[in-house]
DNA sequence: CGCGCCATGTCATGAACCTGTAATAGCTTC
DNA sequence: GAAGCTATTACAGGTTCATGACATGGCGCG
């Protein structure tokens, strides 16, 4: 149903919630600390982050702020009973909802659903390829949950290539389709654009995973 | 899911929406005129009425008033481009929501759900996006609790964009849907209107949070 | 009937940002 | 090692958009 990243240091709570959410068809990834969570979020394109407030190392509020700084992923905060629970602080940090522990799994799940309903009232055609997420409605691209800003021509190129994963396109085809040029001249234009795109979406631009070179022919997207 | 009565005279729109709603597990009854609609409503216990404004015979506003006089069925109004956009009329007639045509089926369905949620669950009086509240029934907009007066065209633009949060619309699409224009000329008209809208609803118009520019493509609402 | 306000469309300006090109370096294949 | 192909980088011209001023035209009100 949804991709959930659970950041919670107590192993028993973590395991219980993970099991419960998985039992309801969510994909769950979990982390035991804020640092670990932020790192995982960079790879796991979560729809929503369930975030405990009391964490070893950097605390929940700070994690929340850092997530917000980087992406618009929804955040549900978990506060343990007895924590100094500051609604204003939570709001300012940018959480979308709060749940007080002990939390029954079905309650948490209902909150997650509510948050997701709110943020994507209209389901958009989102395609995920590994850690890369391409949203064709909002024309946004994110890599590991972090939004990547792409200039128009690079975005068009990515949209075009990713619409047919695995298919090889010649430079000429791309010039005609993506650029709408008719000229038949030799041009390294496509190459340059591919480079700039790779620099933004690939983890290791030198070993491209998404936009691959097919020597002598052109480029293709994936296969991932 | 819900019982929907669709009152719409254009057969192609009627069929398209009927199919789409049935595909999403709603029971749909349709009528081609106001009279027919009122008659069917008397037999078909609809949860919600989707009502076109421009109808042969008695018009949408009048149908709306008659439905309101007799029952509390929810009403979602549909206004075609070129319809006389009458804020006062919409207010007085008592619709629960207001959608500008052309409408994508999933948007209509989302709005139907929203209306039903509102009426049979926890009352959720307005749609809230961050500090911005858009009341699609009374056609009022408030920002941080303070009401904002918007001229018709700006209100219409906001309603159209916010009906599909995240979706990017080209200037051409907006000219066709929100304005009555069919011409294909280059025009900065949309820009100017967006500009004026931003000045009224954005906290920092230079860093828009609600109506965002997608360079090379157009504009979108949020995602917040 | 005339006045003035407001909504809307058009235009000029400037800034920020793309993007095509070219030059160079690196890699593959034979 | 040479030829052919691709990666990488820098830069200047060009495009796109924000902004604000101005023109127009409708509408209500005096």
């Amino acid at each position: 149903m949804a991709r959930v990243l659970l950041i919670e240091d107590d192993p028993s709570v973590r395991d219980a919630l993970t099991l419960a959410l998985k039992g309801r068809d969510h994909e769950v990834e979990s982390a035991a600390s804020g640092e670990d969570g932020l790192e995982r979020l960079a790879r796991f394109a979560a729809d929503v982050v369930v975030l405990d407030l009391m964490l070893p190392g950097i605390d929940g509020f700070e994690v929340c702020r850092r997530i917000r700084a980087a992406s618009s992923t929804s955040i549900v905060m978990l506060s343990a009973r007895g924590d100094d629970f500051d609604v204003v602080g939570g709001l300012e940090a940018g959480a979308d909802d709060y749940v007080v522990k002990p939390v029954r799994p079905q309650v948490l799940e209902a909150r997650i659903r509510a948050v997701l309903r709110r943020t994507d009232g209209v389901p958009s055609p989102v395609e995920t390829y590994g850690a890369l997420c391409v949203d064709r409605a909002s024309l946004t691209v994110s890599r590991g949950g972090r939004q990547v800003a792409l200039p128009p021509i690079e975005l068009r190129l990515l949209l075009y290539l990713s619409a047919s994963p695995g298919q090889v396109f010649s430079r000429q085809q791309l010039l005609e389709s993506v650029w709408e040029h008719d000229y038949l001249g030799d041009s390294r234009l496509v190459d340059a654009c591919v480079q700039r795109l790779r620099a933004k979406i690939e983890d290791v631009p030198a070993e491209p995973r998404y936009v691959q070179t097919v020597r002598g022919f052109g480029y293709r997207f994936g296969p991932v």
Side-chain angles (χ1 to χ4, degrees), chain A residues 62-80:
Chain A
E62 183 55 29
V63 174
C64 191
R65 272 187 291 273
R66 293 199 195 174
I67 293 175
R68 267 287 164 281
S71 79
S72 61
T73 310
S74 299
I75 299 171
V76 176
M77 275 196 175
L78 272 180
S79 82

Side-chain angles (χ1 to χ4, degrees), chain A residues 172-215:
Chain A
Q172 194 55 46
Q173 278 179 291
L174 293 173
L175 279 177
E176 285 168 14
S177 305
V178 178
W179 276 263
E180 290 166 10
H181 287 180
D182 324 320
Y183 63 66
L184 295 151
D186 179 44
S187 165
R188 298 263 68 96
L189 172 53
V190 177
D191 299 49
C193 187
V194 164
Q195 299 324 314
R196 296 195 260 250
L197 177 56
R198 280 181 180 156
K200 284 160 195 155
I201 66 171
E202 299 282 356
D203 294 318
V204 186
E207 296 165 20
R209 185 179 164 196
Y210 303 112
V211 181
Q212 301 176 345
T213 304
V214 182
R215 197 184 169 83

Side-chain angles (χ1 to χ4, degrees), chain A residues 13-84:
Chain A
V13 175
R14 193 171 64 233
D15 293 347
L17 291 180
T18 300
L19 267 178
L21 290 173
K22 279 190 175 166
R24 286 159 181 264
D25 288 332
H26 297 289
E27 280 183 63
V28 182
E29 175 98 13
S30 67
S33 71
E35 290 87 346
D36 191 18
L38 289 168
E39 208 165 293
R40 277 171 201 272
L41 184 60
R43 286 192 304 275
F44 179 77
D47 298 312
V48 58
V49 176
V50 176
L51 178 61
D52 190 24
L53 271 186
M54 213 54 128
L55 289 170
I58 54 179
D59 77 349
F61 287 122
E62 183 55 29
V63 174
C64 191
R65 272 187 291 273
R66 293 199 195 174
I67 293 175
R68 267 287 164 281
S71 79
S72 61
T73 310
S74 299
I75 299 171
V76 176
M77 275 196 175
L78 272 180
S79 82
R81 186 173 62 176
D83 279 6
D84 189 13

Side-chain angles (χ1 to χ4, degrees), chain A residues 86-172:
Chain A
D86 182 354
V87 176
V88 177
L91 270 170
E92 284 174 353
D96 295 278
D97 205 348
Y98 314 85
V99 179
V100 177
K101 288 205 272 189
V103 57
R104 287 181 306 139
Q106 58 265 46
V107 169
L108 179 58
E109 209 243 344
R111 294 309 185 104
I112 289 175
R113 277 179 191 279
V115 164
L116 290 178
R117 247 204 322 273
R118 202 181 310 158
T119 53
D120 55 29
V122 178
S124 51
V126 181
E127 300 274 339
T128 304
Y129 314 92
L132 191 74
C133 192
V134 179
D135 187 327
R136 292 171 185 282
S138 64
L139 300 184
T140 52
V141 175
S142 53
R143 172 184 146 206
R146 191 159 320 192
Q147 270 216 4
V148 178
L150 292 181
I153 196 69
E154 291 165 38
L155 181 54
R156 291 182 58 175
L157 177 62
L158 176 61
L159 290 173
Y160 188 78
L161 289 175
S162 66
S164 309
Q167 165 144 13
V168 178
F169 296 96
S170 70
R171 288 172 176 74
Q172 194 55 46

